[in-house]
Amino acid sequence: MRRRQFLLHTVGLTGATALGASGLSACSAETDTPLKLLVASYDKSVGSSIGDQWGSLIAAFEKAHPDIRVDLERIPFAKLDRTLARRVKDGDAPDIAQSNFFAPYAEEDKLYGASDLFDVRTEGDFLRSYAEAGMVDRVQYGLPFLASTPRLFYNKALFRQARIKAPRSWAELRDAAKALKAIGVPTPYGLQLGPEAAEDEALAWLLADGGGYAGLTGYDFATAGNIDTLTWLRDNLVRPGLAGADPKSLTRTDAYAQFLRGRIGMMIAHPVLMGAADRAKFPYAHAPFPKRLGGAAPPVGLNDWLMAFRRNGRREQCGTFLSYLYGRKSALAYGGNQAALPVTSSASDALREDPKQRPMWDFIDQMPQAQFQPTNLGSWPEVRSAVRRHIGEAVDRGGDPKGVLESLDTAATRAEL
C-alpha cells in the first residue's frame, strides 16, 4: 500500500510487467461482456498517477485483443480495500482487482491461482521472493504489483558537515545520529512508526536483528529477539532524542517531506524518493539498511496485489489480460522510473542491463532477498491494524516493548478465531 501516501502519490508506479503474448484466448461467448478491472486512483498533488498509464495499457491491449473489452473503474486508494470487500460480500466481485490483501479471498476459494491464469513460462518468471509472498497453501493467488524494497537514505550535506559516513551497524547508526544532533538536525533518524506504515518500519528493524512478525506456525510477536530489538530502539534512539519528538506519530508522507527540507538526517525510504530528491536537486545517497552487528539486512518486500476472481467464470479473459500485463515489454514501459520495481526476472534483468537505469540497480539487486509481512494469513488485515495502532507505543520513552508485543500476540490469536 497502504498505504504509503507519498510512495503512491509519486510518479508512474508499477511493479507490473507486460506486453507478451499470452497463449490464452477469451471465450467467444463472453466477447460482449467487458472484463471488469477495479484499481486504485491516487491524488496527483505530488506527481503523476498510475491511472494515466492504465488508460494507455488498456488501449494497447484492446488493439492487440479486439475480442476483449476492459471496463476500468478507479477507486480512491484509501477506500479501495473497503470497496472491494463490500462488493465481494454483495456478490458483485470484479474480474480483476487491486488490493492490499488477497489471503482472505483465497481462503474462501474466491480466486484463481496463478497456474489457472498463466502459461508455465509466464508463471515461472515472477521473482521467487514475491511469488512466495503471494501464496496460500503453496498456491500463488496474489500477483505482486507496485513492488518496492527500501534502503537507508541519508542527507549527504549533513553527513559531510557532521563528518560521518553511512552506518554499517546499529552502533554506527546511533553514533551517526548523535553527530547529526550535535550539529542541530531536529530528527537525526526518522523513525516512521505513525499510522500510515508503521508495520513496514518496525519489520525492517526486526528483520535486521533476525526477528519478524511470524514463525513457521503463525504469528509470533513477543519473542526474546523482538523484545530486545524494540528495547534497543527505545533506549538508544528515542530516549536520547535521536528519533524526533514523537516517532509513533511520524508518517511516511511527513518523513519524506521533512527529509527533503533537511530536517531528517537519515531514514528508511523507497526508490520513489529519488525522483522527488532529483527534481529538488537535493544532496542524497542511500545504502543498505544495516544488521545490528553489521552487514546488509534483508529488505522488507513491499507491494500491492492483483487478483482474479472466480465468480464471473472469466478465467481465460483474466489470463489473457494479466499475461499481457506481466509480459516483458511493459516492464520497460512501466518500470525503472524511480517509482516501483519490476516483479519478473526477465524485466529485472533487462533493467539491470540498461545503463540508464543505474539508479535502480541497488534496489533491483536486493529484491530476491526481500522478506514480507505475513500477507498469506487471512487474519493479517486485522492484525496489521493492531500493529499500526500500537507498535509505536513500544518504543516510547516510557514504552514497554514486552507488554506491547504480548498484546499483539493476543490480538493475533483473537483474529485467528
Side-chain angles (χ1 to χ4, degrees), residues 17 125 327-328 331-332 342-352 364:
T17 56
D125 199 24
R328 184 174 181 269
L332 304 181
V343 293
T344 60
S345 296
S346 60
S348 293
D349 290 345
L351 293 181
R352 188 61 179 79
I364 291 172

Side-chain angles (χ1 to χ4, degrees), residues 234-247:
R234 181 195 65 190
D235 295 346
N236 289 271
L237 289 186
V238 179
R239 282 181 174 171
L242 303 177
D246 187 16

Side-chain angles (χ1 to χ4, degrees), residues 381-395:
E382 182 177 345
V383 176
R384 190 192 74 161
S385 294
V387 173
R388 283 186 167 182
R389 290 194 305 271
H390 300 298
I391 197 72
E393 298 169 0
V395 301

Side-chain angles (χ1 to χ4, degrees), residues 196-396:
E196 184 181 337
E199 72 278 12
D200 297 332
E201 175 85 22
L203 183 57
W205 284 93
L206 297 181
L207 291 175
D209 200 19
Y213 292 149
L216 294 176
T217 59
Y219 297 107
D220 196 6
F221 286 98
T223 65
N226 286 351
I227 293 168
D228 191 44
T229 295
L230 297 187
T231 300
W232 190 95
L233 278 173
R234 181 195 65 190
D235 295 346
N236 289 271
L237 289 186
V238 179
R239 282 181 174 171
L242 303 177
D246 187 16
K248 71 177 183 299
S249 297
L250 181 63
T251 65
R252 177 172 291 164
T253 300
D254 290 342
Y256 283 23
Q258 289 187 43
F259 180 78
L260 293 175
R261 293 199 302 267
R263 297 183 60 80
I264 288 178
M266 56 180 164
M267 66 179 188
I268 294 174
H270 292 267
V272 69
L273 181 58
M274 293 192 295
D278 290 342
R279 288 190 296 274
K281 301 187 183 306
F282 186 84
Y284 73 94
H286 53 77
F289 189 71
K291 291 181 180 179
R292 182 168 187 166
L293 298 179
V300 176
L302 182 70
N303 61 270
D304 283 351
W305 301 99
L306 294 179
M307 66 200 86
F309 284 86
R310 292 179 175 273
R311 181 182 181 277
N312 300 319
R314 315 289 291 286
R315 180 184 66 83
E316 290 182 273
Q317 284 186 317
C318 289
T320 300
F321 179 78
L322 290 167
S323 293
Y324 188 93
L325 179 66
Y326 284 100
R328 184 174 181 269
K329 227 170 181 181
S330 274
L332 304 181
Y334 276 70
N337 56 2
Q338 298 182 346
L341 308 174
V343 293
T344 60
S345 296
S346 60
S348 293
D349 290 345
L351 293 181
R352 188 61 179 79
E353 293 168 1
D354 183 355
K356 295 180 181 178
Q357 304 297 339
R358 185 177 295 275
M360 303 296 289
W361 288 0
D362 288 333
F363 297 91
I364 291 172
D365 289 348
Q366 66 184 18
M367 289 181 77
Q369 288 75 50
Q371 296 188 28
F372 293 79
Q373 301 160 17
T375 52
N376 62 328
L377 297 176
S379 56
W380 175 239
E382 182 177 345
V383 176
R384 190 192 74 161
S385 294
V387 173
R388 283 186 167 182
R389 290 194 305 271
H390 300 298
I391 197 72
E393 298 169 0
V395 301
D396 253 348

Side-chain angles (χ1 to χ4, degrees), residues 75-317:
I75 300 293
F77 189 85
K79 299 180 180 179
L80 181 64
D81 291 331
R82 294 193 302 273
T83 300
L84 178 60
R86 184 177 66 252
R87 299 244 181 118
V88 172
K89 183 179 180 180
D90 292 344
D92 188 28
D95 296 301
I96 298 171
Q98 176 187 350
S99 180
N100 289 300
F101 310 113
F102 67 91
Y105 305 116
E107 290 181 351
E108 295 174 357
D109 197 30
K110 295 183 181 296
L111 303 179
Y112 290 117
S115 59
D116 297 321
L117 301 166
F118 303 114
D119 59 31
V120 173
R121 181 176 179 179
T122 304
E123 182 182 1
D125 199 24
F126 285 106
L127 292 174
R128 179 174 294 275
S129 58
Y130 281 79
E132 290 181 349
M135 291 182 178
V136 173
D137 294 332
R138 300 184 181 180
V139 176
Q140 184 183 356
Y141 295 100
L143 310 177
F145 184 64
L146 306 180
S148 183
T149 56
R151 289 170 66 81
L152 182 69
F153 279 67
Y154 59 95
N155 184 320
K156 289 199 301 184
L158 292 177
F159 268 52
R160 190 179 304 115
Q161 183 181 348
R163 298 182 179 181
I164 52 178
K165 297 180 179 180
R168 295 169 295 180
S169 67
W170 289 8
E172 290 186 6
L173 188 149
R174 177 195 59 212
D175 292 343
K178 289 180 178 178
L180 291 168
K181 184 178 182 180
I183 63 170
V185 178
T187 304
Y189 177 83
L191 186 61
Q192 304 155 58
L193 294 178
E196 184 181 337
E199 72 278 12
D200 297 332
E201 175 85 22
L203 183 57
W205 284 93
L206 297 181
L207 291 175
D209 200 19
Y213 292 149
L216 294 176
T217 59
Y219 297 107
D220 196 6
F221 286 98
T223 65
N226 286 351
I227 293 168
D228 191 44
T229 295
L230 297 187
T231 300
W232 190 95
L233 278 173
R234 181 195 65 190
D235 295 346
N236 289 271
L237 289 186
V238 179
R239 282 181 174 171
L242 303 177
D246 187 16
K248 71 177 183 299
S249 297
L250 181 63
T251 65
R252 177 172 291 164
T253 300
D254 290 342
Y256 283 23
Q258 289 187 43
F259 180 78
L260 293 175
R261 293 199 302 267
R263 297 183 60 80
I264 288 178
M266 56 180 164
M267 66 179 188
I268 294 174
H270 292 267
V272 69
L273 181 58
M274 293 192 295
D278 290 342
R279 288 190 296 274
K281 301 187 183 306
F282 186 84
Y284 73 94
H286 53 77
F289 189 71
K291 291 181 180 179
R292 182 168 187 166
L293 298 179
V300 176
L302 182 70
N303 61 270
D304 283 351
W305 301 99
L306 294 179
M307 66 200 86
F309 284 86
R310 292 179 175 273
R311 181 182 181 277
N312 300 319
R314 315 289 291 286
R315 180 184 66 83
E316 290 182 273
Q317 284 186 317

